[in-house]
């Protein structure tokens, strides 16, 4: 009876060695949680069927692949502008790819890889509105912006301090407010506004003013202190630009939005 038992053991050990030892392409195990926007067409959008589209989704998926993860290991989690730092601090997500501008206030709480994209703050109005053509025109108008965004801060601090600012949780709420008339304008990055203006069902409804009210350098947010991950993501971003995937993602996601993107920025974070 002893001989077959030992034989069975040998088979089990042999299988275990095969499972971990062969192929050489075993990536990290488990799920990779990535924070993205769920409501920004062209940038980060959860489609009705539960799939995800947008430039940030493509960038995040490319990074995940370079980190060794398979697409089925990715779990996209919804982030809002106001909770991106918290979700990183509490390890809810490994990184954030969510139209996330790099700035000093945020750098005190999280680290950034990148930048990987340059956008500019702009204003969206209803197509038939000719009363708003520049930022100052927003004073005494009702303006919607997202709480926790650089756009809302810029309005309050410099662009139009006398605007009646309606701060909502997400840009999809602002676009409804604009459409329904509870806001006269909305402001955020041109990349995001162009996506709404071009969305099916919205064509002809809105007008993008084409102002360049700020420079928004998008970074990939990671937990503060994780220098190794910043370096790895920077390497992935450089590769994405070099091999043409960055251009392809821009074309695919911003192509129909009548919007001219800036060229890929230099990666400057990390050491
Ligand atoms: N890029 C700006 C920011 O990070 C506006 C867009 C957003 O809130 O995601 O605040």
């Amino acid at each position: 009876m002893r001989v077959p038992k030992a034989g069975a053991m040998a088979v089990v050990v042999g299988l275990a060695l095969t499972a971990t030892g062969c192929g050489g392409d075993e990536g990290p195990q488990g799920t990779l949680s990535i924070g993205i926007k769920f409501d920004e067409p062209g940038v980060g959008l959860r489609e009705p069927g539960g799939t995800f589209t947008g430039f940030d989704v493509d960038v995040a998926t490319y990074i995940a692949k370079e980190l060794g993860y398979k697409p089925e290991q990715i779990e996209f989690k919804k982030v809002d502008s106001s909770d991106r730092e918290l979700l990183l601090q509490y390890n809810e997500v490994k990184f954030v790819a969510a139209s996330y501008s790099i700035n000093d206030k945020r750098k005190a709480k999280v680290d950034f890889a990148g930048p990987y994209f340059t956008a500019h703050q702009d204003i969206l109005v209803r197509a038939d509105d000719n009363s708003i053509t520049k930022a100052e025109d927003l004073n005494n108008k009702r303006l919607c912006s997202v709480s926790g965004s650089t756009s809302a801060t810029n309005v309050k601090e410099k662009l139009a301090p006398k605007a009646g600012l309606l701060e909502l949780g997400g840009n999809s709420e602002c676009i409804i407010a604009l459409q329904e008339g509870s806001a006269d304008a909305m402001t955020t990055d041109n990349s995001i506004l162009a996506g709404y203006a071009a969305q099916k069902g919205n064509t002809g409804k809105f007008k993008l003013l084409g102002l360049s009210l700020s420079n928004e350098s998008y970074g990939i947010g990671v937990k503060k202190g994780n220098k190794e991950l910043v370096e790895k993501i920077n390497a992935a971003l450089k590769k994405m630009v070099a091999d043409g995937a960055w251009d392809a993602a821009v074309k695919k996601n911003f192509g129909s939005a009548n919007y001219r993107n800036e060229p890929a920025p230099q990666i400057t974070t990390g050491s």
Side-chain angles (χ1 to χ4, degrees), residues 9-10 25 43 63 77 148 190 199 205:
M9 277 296 286
D25 62 349
V43 178
I63 294 168
K77 285 194 178 171
N190 51 2
Q199 203 176 20
K205 283 190 187 162

Side-chain angles (χ1 to χ4, degrees), residues 38-41 146 168-177 186 196:
F38 273 28
D39 69 343
E40 293 176 354
V146 169
L168 300 180
N171 280 305
S172 52
E173 294 162 51
C174 279
I175 196 87
I176 293 169
M186 73 180 274
Y196 283 118

